[in-house]
Amino acid sequence: MPPEWARTPRVLAAMRHAAELAEGVRGSTSPNPPVGCVILDTAGEVVGSGATRPPGGPHAEVVALEEAGARARGGTAVVTLEPCAHTGRTGACAAALRAAGVGGLVYAVSDPNPQASGGARELERAGVAVAGGVLAEEVSGGALRGWLHFVRTGRAHVTWKYAASLDGRSAAADGSSQWITSAEARAEVHRLRAKCDAVMAGTGTVLADDPSLTVRDEHGAPVPEQPLRVVLGDREVPAGFKVLDDVAPTLRLPGGDPEGALRALAERGVVEVFLEGGPTLAGAFLRAGRVDLVQAFVAPALLGSGKSALGEAGVVSISGAWRFYFERVTMCGPDVWISAVPAEG
C-alpha cells in the first residue's frame, strides 16, 4: 500500500484531477499515452496542471511544471503514469521533474514500456520521495486503459459499440435503423468515437448504410480532428460514398480477418479502435476474442424481427456463451447505456 503521505485527501483529489485531464486528451496523443499531471506546492496547493500534448509536443509533467514555475520546488508531482526516463522527440519527464526540484512524486500506474520506464527509480536515487500505485485500479480503467493494453499485447484495444432494441435488433425487418436510440445516445457515441484513434466498419455496413464514420459536434458539423476511418473487406466501395470524402482519412483493409487488421493498425500506431461495423464484423471480432470493451445502447423499443445486433459468434450451446462483466450501467436519455468487459476465466 502507498505510504500515508501519498494518500492524503489533497493528493487523492489531485490524482483524480490528473485522471480527468488525461481523459480530456484521450484520442489525440497516440502512440504516446494520455497522461495527466498536477503539481502541488509545499503547502499542498495546486500550482500547475497539464496533460500530454499530441505527438512531438510536451508531456503532461512538462506542461504542469511550466505552469507551476518556481513554486514546484519542494512540492509534489501527482501523475497518472510513472514519468518516463526516455529521451525521444521530447526530453525525459523524470529529468524535468528532477531539474524543477520537486520533493515528491506520486504516480498511479507503473510504465510497462521497457523503453521508457525507470523514471520513478531515477527520481528516488536523486532523493525524491516516491510513491506508486495510488488509485492505480481507478486510473488504469480510465484514459490509460487502451494504451496499457496496446503496450502489453502489441495490438489495439477494441471497443465494440452497438445500438439495439430491447430484443437485440439493430434494424427493423425492412432494414430501417435510423434511429433506434435517442439523440442523447447518438451524441454520446460521437464523444466515444473522438477518444479512439480509428473507427472501423465492414464493407457490408458501408454499402448498406453509407455511414460517414466521423465525429460530429452537437450541431452535426464534423470536428477538426478526426480519427482514422477503417473499412474492412474485399467489396468495392463506389465513389461518392461518405467514407471516401475528405472529411477524415480512410484506410481500406482487404479481407475480413480481425488479427490481420489489428496487426496492420498496430504498425500505424493505432492504440484504440472503435468497432462500428454491423453484426458480421462484430461476430468475427468476438469469435477471434478481440472485443475488449462493449458499449451498448439499448432503446426501450421492441421490433420482433429484423437484423440482430450480433452475427455468428461461434456459440452453439449456452456453455459456450461469451461472458462479460458489467462495468457500468446508466441511463442515456431514455436509453440504457451498458459498458461491459470480458469476464475473466
Side-chain angles (χ1 to χ4, degrees), residues 150-190:
F150 180 76
V151 172
R152 290 165 178 165
T153 67
R155 65 172 178 84
H157 179 276
V158 177
T159 296
W160 171 40
K161 164 262 164 184
Y162 73 89
S165 60
L166 270 175
D167 51 344
R169 305 292 178 177
S170 62
D174 65 357
S176 60
S177 60
Q178 296 182 346
W179 300 101
I180 290 177
T181 51
S182 63
E184 293 92 335
R186 296 194 296 277
E188 193 60 52
V189 167
H190 282 281

PDB file of all heavy atoms in Angstrom, residues 150-190:
ATOM      1  N   PHE A 150      -2.396  -1.810 -25.359  1.00  0.00           N
ATOM      2  CA  PHE A 150      -1.560  -1.770 -26.563  1.00  0.00           C
ATOM      3  C   PHE A 150      -0.118  -2.147 -26.242  1.00  0.00           C
ATOM      4  O   PHE A 150       0.507  -2.945 -26.948  1.00  0.00           O
ATOM      5  CB  PHE A 150      -1.625  -0.365 -27.162  1.00  0.00           C
ATOM      6  CG  PHE A 150      -0.813  -0.181 -28.407  1.00  0.00           C
ATOM      7  CD1 PHE A 150      -1.245  -0.669 -29.626  1.00  0.00           C
ATOM      8  CD2 PHE A 150       0.392   0.509 -28.363  1.00  0.00           C
ATOM      9  CE1 PHE A 150      -0.497  -0.485 -30.782  1.00  0.00           C
ATOM     10  CE2 PHE A 150       1.152   0.694 -29.503  1.00  0.00           C
ATOM     11  CZ  PHE A 150       0.697   0.199 -30.725  1.00  0.00           C
ATOM     12  N   VAL A 151       0.422  -1.590 -25.165  1.00  0.00           N
ATOM     13  CA  VAL A 151       1.817  -1.860 -24.799  1.00  0.00           C
ATOM     14  C   VAL A 151       1.986  -3.306 -24.339  1.00  0.00           C
ATOM     15  O   VAL A 151       2.971  -3.973 -24.679  1.00  0.00           O
ATOM     16  CB  VAL A 151       2.282  -0.883 -23.703  1.00  0.00           C
ATOM     17  CG1 VAL A 151       3.659  -1.279 -23.171  1.00  0.00           C
ATOM     18  CG2 VAL A 151       2.318   0.537 -24.251  1.00  0.00           C
ATOM     19  N   ARG A 152       1.026  -3.820 -23.604  1.00  0.00           N
ATOM     20  CA  ARG A 152       1.158  -5.172 -23.041  1.00  0.00           C
ATOM     21  C   ARG A 152       0.889  -6.269 -24.058  1.00  0.00           C
ATOM     22  O   ARG A 152       1.425  -7.372 -23.945  1.00  0.00           O
ATOM     23  CB  ARG A 152       0.212  -5.313 -21.847  1.00  0.00           C
ATOM     24  CG  ARG A 152       0.650  -4.496 -20.637  1.00  0.00           C
ATOM     25  CD  ARG A 152      -0.460  -4.347 -19.613  1.00  0.00           C
ATOM     26  NE  ARG A 152      -0.013  -3.589 -18.437  1.00  0.00           N
ATOM     27  CZ  ARG A 152      -0.813  -3.062 -17.532  1.00  0.00           C
ATOM     28  NH1 ARG A 152      -2.132  -3.206 -17.665  1.00  0.00           N
ATOM     29  NH2 ARG A 152      -0.326  -2.385 -16.502  1.00  0.00           N
ATOM     30  N   THR A 153       0.051  -5.994 -25.064  1.00  0.00           N
ATOM     31  CA  THR A 153      -0.332  -7.039 -26.022  1.00  0.00           C
ATOM     32  C   THR A 153       0.223  -6.813 -27.421  1.00  0.00           C
ATOM     33  O   THR A 153       0.243  -7.739 -28.234  1.00  0.00           O
ATOM     34  CB  THR A 153      -1.860  -7.157 -26.132  1.00  0.00           C
ATOM     35  OG1 THR A 153      -2.385  -5.961 -26.736  1.00  0.00           O
ATOM     36  CG2 THR A 153      -2.491  -7.364 -24.768  1.00  0.00           C
ATOM     37  N   GLY A 154       0.604  -5.586 -27.729  1.00  0.00           N
ATOM     38  CA  GLY A 154       1.083  -5.280 -29.071  1.00  0.00           C
ATOM     39  C   GLY A 154      -0.028  -5.057 -30.076  1.00  0.00           C
ATOM     40  O   GLY A 154       0.225  -4.953 -31.285  1.00  0.00           O
ATOM     41  N   ARG A 155      -1.275  -4.988 -29.637  1.00  0.00           N
ATOM     42  CA  ARG A 155      -2.392  -4.745 -30.555  1.00  0.00           C
ATOM     43  C   ARG A 155      -3.338  -3.707 -29.963  1.00  0.00           C
ATOM     44  O   ARG A 155      -3.353  -3.466 -28.752  1.00  0.00           O
ATOM     45  CB  ARG A 155      -3.159  -6.035 -30.842  1.00  0.00           C
ATOM     46  CG  ARG A 155      -3.867  -6.634 -29.655  1.00  0.00           C
ATOM     47  CD  ARG A 155      -4.756  -7.803 -30.057  1.00  0.00           C
ATOM     48  NE  ARG A 155      -5.405  -8.402 -28.910  1.00  0.00           N
ATOM     49  CZ  ARG A 155      -6.529  -7.955 -28.371  1.00  0.00           C
ATOM     50  NH1 ARG A 155      -7.119  -6.882 -28.878  1.00  0.00           N
ATOM     51  NH2 ARG A 155      -7.070  -8.553 -27.327  1.00  0.00           N
ATOM     52  N   ALA A 156      -4.108  -3.117 -30.851  1.00  0.00           N
ATOM     53  CA  ALA A 156      -5.035  -2.079 -30.423  1.00  0.00           C
ATOM     54  C   ALA A 156      -6.123  -2.634 -29.507  1.00  0.00           C
ATOM     55  O   ALA A 156      -6.523  -3.791 -29.617  1.00  0.00           O
ATOM     56  CB  ALA A 156      -5.675  -1.418 -31.646  1.00  0.00           C
ATOM     57  N   HIS A 157      -6.584  -1.783 -28.625  1.00  0.00           N
ATOM     58  CA  HIS A 157      -7.722  -2.088 -27.767  1.00  0.00           C
ATOM     59  C   HIS A 157      -8.988  -1.867 -28.591  1.00  0.00           C
ATOM     60  O   HIS A 157      -9.159  -0.832 -29.239  1.00  0.00           O
ATOM     61  CB  HIS A 157      -7.705  -1.156 -26.552  1.00  0.00           C
ATOM     62  CG  HIS A 157      -8.831  -1.354 -25.599  1.00  0.00           C
ATOM     63  ND1 HIS A 157     -10.074  -0.762 -25.775  1.00  0.00           N
ATOM     64  CD2 HIS A 157      -8.922  -2.071 -24.447  1.00  0.00           C
ATOM     65  CE1 HIS A 157     -10.861  -1.098 -24.774  1.00  0.00           C
ATOM     66  NE2 HIS A 157     -10.191  -1.887 -23.953  1.00  0.00           N
ATOM     67  N   VAL A 158      -9.894  -2.852 -28.602  1.00  0.00           N
ATOM     68  CA  VAL A 158     -11.082  -2.805 -29.456  1.00  0.00           C
ATOM     69  C   VAL A 158     -12.339  -2.590 -28.615  1.00  0.00           C
ATOM     70  O   VAL A 158     -12.639  -3.384 -27.718  1.00  0.00           O
ATOM     71  CB  VAL A 158     -11.236  -4.097 -30.286  1.00  0.00           C
ATOM     72  CG1 VAL A 158     -12.524  -4.059 -31.106  1.00  0.00           C
ATOM     73  CG2 VAL A 158     -10.030  -4.287 -31.193  1.00  0.00           C
ATOM     74  N   THR A 159     -13.051  -1.516 -28.919  1.00  0.00           N
ATOM     75  CA  THR A 159     -14.360  -1.257 -28.327  1.00  0.00           C
ATOM     76  C   THR A 159     -15.428  -1.530 -29.372  1.00  0.00           C
ATOM     77  O   THR A 159     -15.399  -0.949 -30.459  1.00  0.00           O
ATOM     78  CB  THR A 159     -14.467   0.210 -27.860  1.00  0.00           C
ATOM     79  OG1 THR A 159     -13.523   0.451 -26.817  1.00  0.00           O
ATOM     80  CG2 THR A 159     -15.865   0.506 -27.337  1.00  0.00           C
ATOM     81  N   TRP A 160     -16.345  -2.441 -29.062  1.00  0.00           N
ATOM     82  CA  TRP A 160     -17.475  -2.683 -29.963  1.00  0.00           C
ATOM     83  C   TRP A 160     -18.665  -1.907 -29.444  1.00  0.00           C
ATOM     84  O   TRP A 160     -19.120  -2.112 -28.325  1.00  0.00           O
ATOM     85  CB  TRP A 160     -17.811  -4.175 -30.023  1.00  0.00           C
ATOM     86  CG  TRP A 160     -19.093  -4.470 -30.759  1.00  0.00           C
ATOM     87  CD1 TRP A 160     -19.548  -3.873 -31.895  1.00  0.00           C
ATOM     88  CD2 TRP A 160     -20.097  -5.419 -30.370  1.00  0.00           C
ATOM     89  NE1 TRP A 160     -20.769  -4.406 -32.258  1.00  0.00           N
ATOM     90  CE2 TRP A 160     -21.131  -5.349 -31.344  1.00  0.00           C
ATOM     91  CE3 TRP A 160     -20.212  -6.330 -29.324  1.00  0.00           C
ATOM     92  CZ2 TRP A 160     -22.264  -6.148 -31.285  1.00  0.00           C
ATOM     93  CZ3 TRP A 160     -21.342  -7.124 -29.262  1.00  0.00           C
ATOM     94  CH2 TRP A 160     -22.351  -7.041 -30.236  1.00  0.00           C
ATOM     95  N   LYS A 161     -19.167  -1.017 -30.285  1.00  0.00           N
ATOM     96  CA  LYS A 161     -20.351  -0.242 -29.936  1.00  0.00           C
ATOM     97  C   LYS A 161     -21.522  -0.720 -30.782  1.00  0.00           C
ATOM     98  O   LYS A 161     -21.383  -0.957 -31.986  1.00  0.00           O
ATOM     99  CB  LYS A 161     -20.097   1.245 -30.168  1.00  0.00           C
ATOM    100  CG  LYS A 161     -21.366   2.112 -30.205  1.00  0.00           C
ATOM    101  CD  LYS A 161     -21.784   2.359 -31.653  1.00  0.00           C
ATOM    102  CE  LYS A 161     -23.203   2.852 -31.779  1.00  0.00           C
ATOM    103  NZ  LYS A 161     -23.615   2.995 -33.202  1.00  0.00           N
ATOM    104  N   TYR A 162     -22.666  -0.878 -30.129  1.00  0.00           N
ATOM    105  CA  TYR A 162     -23.862  -1.152 -30.913  1.00  0.00           C
ATOM    106  C   TYR A 162     -25.066  -0.480 -30.272  1.00  0.00           C
ATOM    107  O   TYR A 162     -25.086  -0.195 -29.078  1.00  0.00           O
ATOM    108  CB  TYR A 162     -24.103  -2.656 -31.088  1.00  0.00           C
ATOM    109  CG  TYR A 162     -24.581  -3.397 -29.855  1.00  0.00           C
ATOM    110  CD1 TYR A 162     -25.937  -3.507 -29.569  1.00  0.00           C
ATOM    111  CD2 TYR A 162     -23.669  -4.008 -28.993  1.00  0.00           C
ATOM    112  CE1 TYR A 162     -26.383  -4.203 -28.450  1.00  0.00           C
ATOM    113  CE2 TYR A 162     -24.105  -4.707 -27.878  1.00  0.00           C
ATOM    114  CZ  TYR A 162     -25.462  -4.795 -27.610  1.00  0.00           C
ATOM    115  OH  TYR A 162     -25.901  -5.472 -26.501  1.00  0.00           O
ATOM    116  N   ALA A 163     -26.062  -0.211 -31.098  1.00  0.00           N
ATOM    117  CA  ALA A 163     -27.347   0.315 -30.638  1.00  0.00           C
ATOM    118  C   ALA A 163     -28.416  -0.689 -31.031  1.00  0.00           C
ATOM    119  O   ALA A 163     -28.409  -1.205 -32.156  1.00  0.00           O
ATOM    120  CB  ALA A 163     -27.624   1.665 -31.281  1.00  0.00           C
ATOM    121  N   ALA A 164     -29.311  -1.003 -30.112  1.00  0.00           N
ATOM    122  CA  ALA A 164     -30.297  -2.047 -30.388  1.00  0.00           C
ATOM    123  C   ALA A 164     -31.584  -1.800 -29.607  1.00  0.00           C
ATOM    124  O   ALA A 164     -31.623  -1.020 -28.647  1.00  0.00           O
ATOM    125  CB  ALA A 164     -29.735  -3.421 -30.023  1.00  0.00           C
ATOM    126  N   SER A 165     -32.613  -2.508 -30.035  1.00  0.00           N
ATOM    127  CA  SER A 165     -33.882  -2.509 -29.319  1.00  0.00           C
ATOM    128  C   SER A 165     -33.763  -3.433 -28.108  1.00  0.00           C
ATOM    129  O   SER A 165     -32.760  -4.139 -27.932  1.00  0.00           O
ATOM    130  CB  SER A 165     -34.991  -3.005 -30.246  1.00  0.00           C
ATOM    131  OG  SER A 165     -34.699  -4.321 -30.687  1.00  0.00           O
ATOM    132  N   LEU A 166     -34.812  -3.466 -27.283  1.00  0.00           N
ATOM    133  CA  LEU A 166     -34.819  -4.342 -26.119  1.00  0.00           C
ATOM    134  C   LEU A 166     -34.635  -5.813 -26.497  1.00  0.00           C
ATOM    135  O   LEU A 166     -34.075  -6.594 -25.725  1.00  0.00           O
ATOM    136  CB  LEU A 166     -36.131  -4.187 -25.346  1.00  0.00           C
ATOM    137  CG  LEU A 166     -36.189  -3.146 -24.239  1.00  0.00           C
ATOM    138  CD1 LEU A 166     -37.614  -3.062 -23.696  1.00  0.00           C
ATOM    139  CD2 LEU A 166     -35.217  -3.476 -23.125  1.00  0.00           C
ATOM    140  N   ASP A 167     -35.106  -6.196 -27.672  1.00  0.00           N
ATOM    141  CA  ASP A 167     -34.960  -7.589 -28.111  1.00  0.00           C
ATOM    142  C   ASP A 167     -33.743  -7.789 -29.008  1.00  0.00           C
ATOM    143  O   ASP A 167     -33.657  -8.769 -29.749  1.00  0.00           O
ATOM    144  CB  ASP A 167     -36.231  -8.090 -28.800  1.00  0.00           C
ATOM    145  CG  ASP A 167     -36.736  -7.165 -29.892  1.00  0.00           C
ATOM    146  OD1 ASP A 167     -36.304  -5.994 -29.933  1.00  0.00           O
ATOM    147  OD2 ASP A 167     -37.564  -7.600 -30.714  1.00  0.00           O
ATOM    148  N   GLY A 168     -32.776  -6.879 -28.930  1.00  0.00           N
ATOM    149  CA  GLY A 168     -31.483  -7.086 -29.569  1.00  0.00           C
ATOM    150  C   GLY A 168     -31.438  -6.853 -31.063  1.00  0.00           C
ATOM    151  O   GLY A 168     -30.519  -7.324 -31.738  1.00  0.00           O
ATOM    152  N   ARG A 169     -32.379  -6.090 -31.608  1.00  0.00           N
ATOM    153  CA  ARG A 169     -32.405  -5.826 -33.048  1.00  0.00           C
ATOM    154  C   ARG A 169     -31.737  -4.481 -33.347  1.00  0.00           C
ATOM    155  O   ARG A 169     -32.009  -3.480 -32.683  1.00  0.00           O
ATOM    156  CB  ARG A 169     -33.840  -5.798 -33.563  1.00  0.00           C
ATOM    157  CG  ARG A 169     -34.641  -7.052 -33.252  1.00  0.00           C
ATOM    158  CD  ARG A 169     -34.140  -8.245 -34.014  1.00  0.00           C
ATOM    159  NE  ARG A 169     -34.885  -9.450 -33.677  1.00  0.00           N
ATOM    160  CZ  ARG A 169     -34.671 -10.630 -34.246  1.00  0.00           C
ATOM    161  NH1 ARG A 169     -33.742 -10.760 -35.174  1.00  0.00           N
ATOM    162  NH2 ARG A 169     -35.369 -11.681 -33.878  1.00  0.00           N
ATOM    163  N   SER A 170     -30.880  -4.495 -34.360  1.00  0.00           N
ATOM    164  CA  SER A 170     -30.216  -3.256 -34.763  1.00  0.00           C
ATOM    165  C   SER A 170     -30.909  -2.599 -35.947  1.00  0.00           C
ATOM    166  O   SER A 170     -30.567  -1.484 -36.332  1.00  0.00           O
ATOM    167  CB  SER A 170     -28.748  -3.524 -35.117  1.00  0.00           C
ATOM    168  OG  SER A 170     -28.663  -4.420 -36.216  1.00  0.00           O
ATOM    169  N   ALA A 171     -31.858  -3.297 -36.560  1.00  0.00           N
ATOM    170  CA  ALA A 171     -32.640  -2.746 -37.661  1.00  0.00           C
ATOM    171  C   ALA A 171     -33.967  -3.486 -37.738  1.00  0.00           C
ATOM    172  O   ALA A 171     -34.075  -4.634 -37.303  1.00  0.00           O
ATOM    173  CB  ALA A 171     -31.883  -2.877 -38.985  1.00  0.00           C
ATOM    174  N   ALA A 172     -34.960  -2.825 -38.302  1.00  0.00           N
ATOM    175  CA  ALA A 172     -36.282  -3.436 -38.456  1.00  0.00           C
ATOM    176  C   ALA A 172     -36.289  -4.387 -39.658  1.00  0.00           C
ATOM    177  O   ALA A 172     -35.308  -4.497 -40.397  1.00  0.00           O
ATOM    178  CB  ALA A 172     -37.337  -2.348 -38.633  1.00  0.00           C
ATOM    179  N   ALA A 173     -37.391  -5.052 -39.863  1.00  0.00           N
ATOM    180  CA  ALA A 173     -37.490  -6.044 -40.935  1.00  0.00           C
ATOM    181  C   ALA A 173     -37.259  -5.435 -42.316  1.00  0.00           C
ATOM    182  O   ALA A 173     -36.745  -6.102 -43.222  1.00  0.00           O
ATOM    183  CB  ALA A 173     -38.852  -6.728 -40.887  1.00  0.00           C
ATOM    184  N   ASP A 174     -37.605  -4.157 -42.487  1.00  0.00           N
ATOM    185  CA  ASP A 174     -37.397  -3.519 -43.787  1.00  0.00           C
ATOM    186  C   ASP A 174     -36.007  -2.922 -43.943  1.00  0.00           C
ATOM    187  O   ASP A 174     -35.711  -2.273 -44.949  1.00  0.00           O
ATOM    188  CB  ASP A 174     -38.450  -2.432 -44.022  1.00  0.00           C
ATOM    189  CG  ASP A 174     -38.325  -1.280 -43.021  1.00  0.00           C
ATOM    190  OD1 ASP A 174     -37.473  -1.349 -42.109  1.00  0.00           O
ATOM    191  OD2 ASP A 174     -39.096  -0.298 -43.161  1.00  0.00           O
ATOM    192  N   GLY A 175     -35.153  -3.146 -42.926  1.00  0.00           N
ATOM    193  CA  GLY A 175     -33.781  -2.644 -42.982  1.00  0.00           C
ATOM    194  C   GLY A 175     -33.587  -1.274 -42.375  1.00  0.00           C
ATOM    195  O   GLY A 175     -32.448  -0.822 -42.207  1.00  0.00           O
ATOM    196  N   SER A 176     -34.658  -0.582 -42.016  1.00  0.00           N
ATOM    197  CA  SER A 176     -34.516   0.756 -41.435  1.00  0.00           C
ATOM    198  C   SER A 176     -33.930   0.667 -40.030  1.00  0.00           C
ATOM    199  O   SER A 176     -34.269  -0.211 -39.248  1.00  0.00           O
ATOM    200  CB  SER A 176     -35.870   1.469 -41.397  1.00  0.00           C
ATOM    201  OG  SER A 176     -36.799   0.741 -40.616  1.00  0.00           O
ATOM    202  N   SER A 177     -33.029   1.622 -39.728  1.00  0.00           N
ATOM    203  CA  SER A 177     -32.366   1.603 -38.422  1.00  0.00           C
ATOM    204  C   SER A 177     -32.227   2.994 -37.818  1.00  0.00           C
ATOM    205  O   SER A 177     -31.755   3.117 -36.680  1.00  0.00           O
ATOM    206  CB  SER A 177     -30.967   0.976 -38.546  1.00  0.00           C
ATOM    207  OG  SER A 177     -30.165   1.725 -39.444  1.00  0.00           O
ATOM    208  N   GLN A 178     -32.586   4.022 -38.535  1.00  0.00           N
ATOM    209  CA  GLN A 178     -32.430   5.396 -38.039  1.00  0.00           C
ATOM    210  C   GLN A 178     -33.784   5.960 -37.621  1.00  0.00           C
ATOM    211  O   GLN A 178     -34.660   6.157 -38.463  1.00  0.00           O
ATOM    212  CB  GLN A 178     -31.803   6.271 -39.122  1.00  0.00           C
ATOM    213  CG  GLN A 178     -30.405   5.842 -39.496  1.00  0.00           C
ATOM    214  CD  GLN A 178     -29.787   6.757 -40.546  1.00  0.00           C
ATOM    215  OE1 GLN A 178     -30.458   7.558 -41.187  1.00  0.00           O
ATOM    216  NE2 GLN A 178     -28.497   6.625 -40.742  1.00  0.00           N
ATOM    217  N   TRP A 179     -33.993   6.201 -36.317  1.00  0.00           N
ATOM    218  CA  TRP A 179     -32.995   5.964 -35.282  1.00  0.00           C
ATOM    219  C   TRP A 179     -33.613   5.057 -34.228  1.00  0.00           C
ATOM    220  O   TRP A 179     -34.693   5.331 -33.746  1.00  0.00           O
ATOM    221  CB  TRP A 179     -32.516   7.268 -34.662  1.00  0.00           C
ATOM    222  CG  TRP A 179     -31.883   8.187 -35.628  1.00  0.00           C
ATOM    223  CD1 TRP A 179     -32.433   9.287 -36.222  1.00  0.00           C
ATOM    224  CD2 TRP A 179     -30.557   8.082 -36.131  1.00  0.00           C
ATOM    225  NE1 TRP A 179     -31.528   9.892 -37.049  1.00  0.00           N
ATOM    226  CE2 TRP A 179     -30.362   9.173 -37.008  1.00  0.00           C
ATOM    227  CE3 TRP A 179     -29.498   7.202 -35.928  1.00  0.00           C
ATOM    228  CZ2 TRP A 179     -29.162   9.397 -37.681  1.00  0.00           C
ATOM    229  CZ3 TRP A 179     -28.308   7.426 -36.588  1.00  0.00           C
ATOM    230  CH2 TRP A 179     -28.144   8.502 -37.456  1.00  0.00           C
ATOM    231  N   ILE A 180     -32.883   4.003 -33.870  1.00  0.00           N
ATOM    232  CA  ILE A 180     -33.342   3.119 -32.804  1.00  0.00           C
ATOM    233  C   ILE A 180     -33.199   3.799 -31.457  1.00  0.00           C
ATOM    234  O   ILE A 180     -34.102   3.783 -30.624  1.00  0.00           O
ATOM    235  CB  ILE A 180     -32.571   1.784 -32.833  1.00  0.00           C
ATOM    236  CG1 ILE A 180     -32.984   0.969 -34.061  1.00  0.00           C
ATOM    237  CG2 ILE A 180     -32.809   0.986 -31.552  1.00  0.00           C
ATOM    238  CD1 ILE A 180     -32.221  -0.321 -34.211  1.00  0.00           C
ATOM    239  N   THR A 181     -32.042   4.409 -31.254  1.00  0.00           N
ATOM    240  CA  THR A 181     -31.775   5.061 -29.973  1.00  0.00           C
ATOM    241  C   THR A 181     -31.950   6.570 -30.097  1.00  0.00           C
ATOM    242  O   THR A 181     -32.141   7.118 -31.180  1.00  0.00           O
ATOM    243  CB  THR A 181     -30.361   4.721 -29.477  1.00  0.00           C
ATOM    244  OG1 THR A 181     -29.412   4.990 -30.528  1.00  0.00           O
ATOM    245  CG2 THR A 181     -30.264   3.264 -29.070  1.00  0.00           C
ATOM    246  N   SER A 182     -31.821   7.241 -28.969  1.00  0.00           N
ATOM    247  CA  SER A 182     -32.144   8.663 -28.860  1.00  0.00           C
ATOM    248  C   SER A 182     -31.019   9.569 -29.330  1.00  0.00           C
ATOM    249  O   SER A 182     -29.883   9.139 -29.549  1.00  0.00           O
ATOM    250  CB  SER A 182     -32.441   8.982 -27.392  1.00  0.00           C
ATOM    251  OG  SER A 182     -31.271   8.756 -26.608  1.00  0.00           O
ATOM    252  N   ALA A 183     -31.351  10.852 -29.440  1.00  0.00           N
ATOM    253  CA  ALA A 183     -30.350  11.864 -29.781  1.00  0.00           C
ATOM    254  C   ALA A 183     -29.261  11.921 -28.717  1.00  0.00           C
ATOM    255  O   ALA A 183     -28.086  12.135 -29.028  1.00  0.00           O
ATOM    256  CB  ALA A 183     -31.024  13.227 -29.931  1.00  0.00           C
ATOM    257  N   GLU A 184     -29.645  11.715 -27.450  1.00  0.00           N
ATOM    258  CA  GLU A 184     -28.640  11.720 -26.377  1.00  0.00           C
ATOM    259  C   GLU A 184     -27.636  10.589 -26.559  1.00  0.00           C
ATOM    260  O   GLU A 184     -26.426  10.781 -26.370  1.00  0.00           O
ATOM    261  CB  GLU A 184     -29.315  11.598 -25.010  1.00  0.00           C
ATOM    262  CG  GLU A 184     -30.162  12.796 -24.624  1.00  0.00           C
ATOM    263  CD  GLU A 184     -31.618  12.663 -25.037  1.00  0.00           C
ATOM    264  OE1 GLU A 184     -31.913  11.923 -25.998  1.00  0.00           O
ATOM    265  OE2 GLU A 184     -32.458  13.312 -24.385  1.00  0.00           O
ATOM    266  N   ALA A 185     -28.119   9.407 -26.929  1.00  0.00           N
ATOM    267  CA  ALA A 185     -27.219   8.270 -27.143  1.00  0.00           C
ATOM    268  C   ALA A 185     -26.317   8.525 -28.338  1.00  0.00           C
ATOM    269  O   ALA A 185     -25.114   8.214 -28.296  1.00  0.00           O
ATOM    270  CB  ALA A 185     -28.033   6.991 -27.356  1.00  0.00           C
ATOM    271  N   ARG A 186     -26.857   9.094 -29.398  1.00  0.00           N
ATOM    272  CA  ARG A 186     -26.045   9.364 -30.582  1.00  0.00           C
ATOM    273  C   ARG A 186     -24.958  10.390 -30.275  1.00  0.00           C
ATOM    274  O   ARG A 186     -23.832  10.283 -30.754  1.00  0.00           O
ATOM    275  CB  ARG A 186     -26.930   9.830 -31.735  1.00  0.00           C
ATOM    276  CG  ARG A 186     -27.920   8.760 -32.180  1.00  0.00           C
ATOM    277  CD  ARG A 186     -28.533   9.093 -33.513  1.00  0.00           C
ATOM    278  NE  ARG A 186     -29.340  10.300 -33.521  1.00  0.00           N
ATOM    279  CZ  ARG A 186     -30.607  10.361 -33.148  1.00  0.00           C
ATOM    280  NH1 ARG A 186     -31.227   9.272 -32.693  1.00  0.00           N
ATOM    281  NH2 ARG A 186     -31.282  11.502 -33.225  1.00  0.00           N
ATOM    282  N   ALA A 187     -25.267  11.379 -29.451  1.00  0.00           N
ATOM    283  CA  ALA A 187     -24.262  12.370 -29.059  1.00  0.00           C
ATOM    284  C   ALA A 187     -23.151  11.716 -28.236  1.00  0.00           C
ATOM    285  O   ALA A 187     -21.971  12.031 -28.406  1.00  0.00           O
ATOM    286  CB  ALA A 187     -24.918  13.498 -28.265  1.00  0.00           C
ATOM    287  N   GLU A 188     -23.549  10.793 -27.366  1.00  0.00           N
ATOM    288  CA  GLU A 188     -22.546  10.095 -26.560  1.00  0.00           C
ATOM    289  C   GLU A 188     -21.643   9.249 -27.440  1.00  0.00           C
ATOM    290  O   GLU A 188     -20.429   9.157 -27.195  1.00  0.00           O
ATOM    291  CB  GLU A 188     -23.226   9.231 -25.506  1.00  0.00           C
ATOM    292  CG  GLU A 188     -22.280   8.712 -24.440  1.00  0.00           C
ATOM    293  CD  GLU A 188     -21.603   9.832 -23.675  1.00  0.00           C
ATOM    294  OE1 GLU A 188     -22.299  10.727 -23.167  1.00  0.00           O
ATOM    295  OE2 GLU A 188     -20.347   9.816 -23.606  1.00  0.00           O
ATOM    296  N   VAL A 189     -22.200   8.639 -28.464  1.00  0.00           N
ATOM    297  CA  VAL A 189     -21.390   7.838 -29.382  1.00  0.00           C
ATOM    298  C   VAL A 189     -20.326   8.697 -30.050  1.00  0.00           C
ATOM    299  O   VAL A 189     -19.177   8.262 -30.220  1.00  0.00           O
ATOM    300  CB  VAL A 189     -22.290   7.150 -30.437  1.00  0.00           C
ATOM    301  CG1 VAL A 189     -21.441   6.570 -31.573  1.00  0.00           C
ATOM    302  CG2 VAL A 189     -23.103   6.045 -29.785  1.00  0.00           C
ATOM    303  N   HIS A 190     -20.660   9.908 -30.407  1.00  0.00           N
ATOM    304  CA  HIS A 190     -19.667  10.789 -31.026  1.00  0.00           C
ATOM    305  C   HIS A 190     -18.555  11.136 -30.040  1.00  0.00           C
ATOM    306  O   HIS A 190     -17.377  11.219 -30.423  1.00  0.00           O
ATOM    307  CB  HIS A 190     -20.334  12.050 -31.569  1.00  0.00           C
ATOM    308  CG  HIS A 190     -21.030  11.820 -32.872  1.00  0.00           C
ATOM    309  ND1 HIS A 190     -20.361  11.765 -34.072  1.00  0.00           N
ATOM    310  CD2 HIS A 190     -22.328  11.591 -33.160  1.00  0.00           C
ATOM    311  CE1 HIS A 190     -21.213  11.528 -35.047  1.00  0.00           C
ATOM    312  NE2 HIS A 190     -22.424  11.411 -34.512  1.00  0.00           N
TER     313      HIS A 190
END
